[in-house]
Amino acid sequence: MLKLSIERWLKVCEILWVKRLLSELGRPVELPMKLFCDNKAAISIANNPVQHDRTKHVEIDRHFIKEKLEGGVVCVPFLPSSQQIADVFTKGLLRQNFEYFVNKLGMMSIYAPT
């Protein structure tokens, strides 16, 4: 649970960094910025202000994320793992899933015959 919270905290920090960068470049930012999550428990912990026994080690991270959620800076919609396209860059996937995600991204092999 601690690892999950730290990962979410880092993702929120990255979203805030991108938001600041885009605003400095004069690009409009649509709020709330979406942080897609495939873990319903993590979404529930971030949105629920009640302190649970399982979250005693992640209190500071949870409050930081909760503050950004309440401020309307980020939102955490659920997206099933089968639709998490970024997983192709971060996880070892079955060949079928890998090929599906690569196709969705429009990537092609540089070694493929032309």
Side-chain angles (χ1 to χ4, degrees):
M1 188 65 72
L2 179 61
K3 179 181 176 194
L4 177 66
S5 177
I6 290 171
E7 288 174 359
R8 295 292 169 231
W9 181 80
L10 290 173
K11 298 289 187 218
V12 170
C13 288
E14 289 172 8
I15 285 175
L16 296 174
W17 179 82
V18 169
K19 178 182 174 289
R20 178 177 287 170
L21 177 66
L22 290 173
S23 65
E24 288 177 4
L25 294 172
R27 302 296 298 184
V29 178
E30 184 181 324
L31 294 180
M33 298 179 82
K34 296 177 182 173
L35 174 60
F36 293 104
C37 182
D38 62 354
N39 187 321
K40 289 182 181 180
I43 294 170
S44 176
I45 290 169
N47 288 313
N48 189 355
V50 176
Q51 180 71 21
H52 297 285
D53 290 338
R54 294 177 144 177
T55 62
K56 64 183 178 181
H57 298 293
V58 295
E59 185 173 347
I60 294 171
D61 299 336
R62 187 175 57 87
H63 289 297
F64 174 77
I65 294 170
K66 178 94 172 113
E67 176 185 309
K68 300 307 175 193
L69 288 168
E70 288 176 348
V73 177
V74 297
C75 67
V76 187
F78 177 75
L79 187 71
S81 295
S82 61
Q83 296 177 11
Q84 293 275 359
I85 296 175
D87 283 355
V88 75
F89 300 114
T90 60
K91 297 180 181 172
L93 301 171
L94 296 173
R95 183 181 182 107
Q96 179 184 8
N97 295 347
F98 177 81
E99 289 175 354
Y100 173 75
F101 289 151
V102 166
N103 186 37
K104 291 285 276 185
L105 289 168
M107 299 169 63
M108 60 183 179
S109 173
I110 61 172
Y111 302 108
T114 55

